[in-house]
Amino acid sequence: MSQTMHLTVTARTEEPGNILRLRLARADGAPLPPVAPGAHLDLHLTGEGLDLWRQYSLCSDCDQTGYYEIGVLRDPKSRGGSEAVHRLAQPGTVLEVEGPRNHFPLDEAAGHTLLLGGGIGITPMLAMAQRLHALGRDFVLHYCTRSAGVTAFRDLIANAPWAGRVVFHFDDGPPGQKLDLARDLPPPAPGTHLYVCGPQGFMDWVIGTAEAAGHAPSQVHREYFSADVDTSGAGFEVVAARSGLTVTVGPKDTIAKALARAGVKVEVKCEEGVCGTCVTDVLEGTPDHRDKFLTEDERAEGTMICACCSRACSKTLVLDI
Ligand code: FES
């Protein structure tokens, strides 16, 4: 069950590749809520005029309850969240945290698991590798980065009892050493599950190739950290059924913003369709899904929508809000 906590930064480690590894614990050292591989924390970044929520996957061993660890890539092209974490999260800093939440659960009964992490997308894979090893499951972790010198968590991996399960792929490496999906993906099978996390281009490539090769979408698990989301399109109306209000969503507007102007609050965090915070039930109308959060089955059902970015195919959407 997710909850709000105030956690102290108890260790801060600069990893290669502009990645900061943070250890968070309760000030009194009391145990933290249990967590499963694939889970993330929501960090509330305040101060210096900021009021941002950002999501970071847990990379620590889920079997211990004394601390959580996350990895944060400083991305100058981001909207300010990652740079704020690098600047503000010093040893002793207290951070408001919500979670843990898990939209990327691991099927612990799978006969074979392939973990594919690109860059900072390695973080949830580390927690998954630790759990799969503890369970004695068959797995391989493919870790892709630009070069060896910017590869984070190498010490952690080198010292892990599952280090032999990890295959590194560097963009500047010799031929044959880069990830080759024709070679490295296992054949589709009922007990084979794939997990993918990383930059959007990497994920789209892996997911598209795996599904084209016959892997069932329900067995190609994915977690997007961010997405280039196009929120533009023709205007439409949204009826907030519980509030009894109707608003117009303009061509460059979003449902969440249009509702907020009318006084109807939709909780929003990532604002780019990856975290699921803003998911709202649809009572009538046809959503035009622009997010990366809902599954293909959920999209096809049409009963939910990410109000931060998705739009409508119909003239009107009636939402349960
Ligand atoms: S706020 Fe994250 S998906 Fe909408």
Side-chain angles (χ1 to χ4, degrees), residues 7 24-33 65-67:
L7 301 183
L24 306 171
R26 292 195 200 272
D28 62 2
L32 291 162
T65 58
Y67 58 85

Side-chain angles (χ1 to χ4, degrees), residues 268-271 273-278 306 308:
V268 164
K269 283 190 174 145
C270 73
E271 299 181 81
V274 297
C275 76
T277 302
C278 63
C306 284
C308 72

Side-chain angles (χ1 to χ4, degrees), residues 112 183-194 213-215:
H112 179 64
R183 176 195 66 200
D184 297 325
L185 286 185
T192 295
H193 286 250
L194 277 51
H215 289 273

Side-chain angles (χ1 to χ4, degrees), residues 2-320:
S2 143
Q3 55 184 279
T4 302
M5 298 174 279
H6 289 88
L7 301 183
T8 303
V9 177
T10 57
R12 170 189 167 107
T13 308
E14 306 276 352
E15 293 274 349
N18 278 328
I19 289 175
L20 184 62
R21 178 176 172 188
L22 290 179
R23 180 171 290 193
L24 306 171
R26 292 195 200 272
D28 62 2
L32 291 162
V35 65
H40 70 269
L41 296 177
D42 292 358
L43 262 54
H44 193 194
L45 305 170
T46 55
E48 303 180 353
L50 294 172
D51 182 13
L52 298 172
W53 283 95
R54 290 293 179 264
Q55 294 74 40
Y56 297 103
S57 292
L58 289 161
C59 56
S60 43
D61 183 349
C62 297
D63 287 339
Q64 59 77 35
T65 58
Y67 58 85
Y68 297 141
E69 281 193 343
I70 57 173
V72 181
L73 169 68
R74 180 168 54 218
D75 180 358
K77 298 199 292 291
S78 80
R79 295 162 296 154
S82 65
E83 295 210 315
V85 176
H86 277 245
R87 212 170 45 246
L88 301 173
Q90 301 297 332
T93 301
V94 176
L95 294 170
E96 183 185 354
V97 171
E98 278 190 8
R101 293 191 175 87
N102 197 348
H103 302 311
F104 193 41
L106 178 67
D107 183 333
E108 298 185 349
H112 179 64
T113 301
L114 199 73
L115 307 173
L116 298 120
I120 189 62
I122 189 64
T123 48
M125 303 306 169
L126 296 174
M128 290 181 172
Q130 290 170 98
R131 173 60 59 86
L132 291 166
H133 172 76
L135 294 170
R137 299 288 180 210
D138 180 32
F139 75 96
V140 177
L141 166 54
H142 291 277
Y143 182 11
C144 302
T145 65
R146 282 183 285 118
S147 68
V150 296
T151 300
F153 302 106
R154 289 191 84 179
D155 289 348
L156 182 157
I157 293 169
N159 291 318
W162 39 268
R165 304 263 187 179
V166 183
V167 185
F168 290 94
H169 304 279
F170 306 124
D171 290 351
D172 62 359
Q177 182 265 349
K178 296 179 191 176
L179 183 65
D180 176 350
L181 294 176
R183 176 195 66 200
D184 297 325
L185 286 185
T192 295
H193 286 250
L194 277 51
Y195 294 80
V196 192
C197 188
Q200 186 171 349
F202 171 79
M203 294 189 58
D204 291 346
W205 171 54
V206 173
I207 293 165
T209 306
E211 292 185 357
H215 289 273
S218 60
Q219 290 176 215
V220 183
H221 310 271
R222 59 209 74 182
E223 173 136 290
Y224 286 88
F225 283 155
S226 64
D228 294 328
V229 60
D230 176 9
T231 61
S232 62
F236 56 97
E237 288 204 325
V238 167
V239 178
R242 276 192 266 152
S243 313
L245 285 169
T246 299
V247 299
T248 300
V249 181
K252 292 193 173 165
D253 208 358
T254 69
I255 295 172
K257 285 179 186 165
L259 287 171
R261 287 196 298 274
V264 180
K265 184 166 168 47
V266 179
E267 196 184 345
V268 164
K269 283 190 174 145
C270 73
E271 299 181 81
E272 49 186 24
V274 297
C275 76
T277 302
C278 63
V279 170
T280 306
D281 288 337
V282 176
L283 301 175
E284 284 175 39
T286 308
D288 176 0
H289 296 291
R290 307 286 181 91
D291 65 281
K292 295 283 187 185
F293 178 77
L294 297 177
T295 65
E296 285 306 317
D297 288 347
E298 289 168 339
R299 288 160 181 266
E301 276 177 22
T303 57
M304 292 187 281
I305 190 167
C306 284
C308 72
C309 61
S310 291
R311 304 187 65 84
C313 297
S314 49
K315 285 204 170 110
T316 303
L317 277 184
V318 182
L319 303 184
D320 186 18

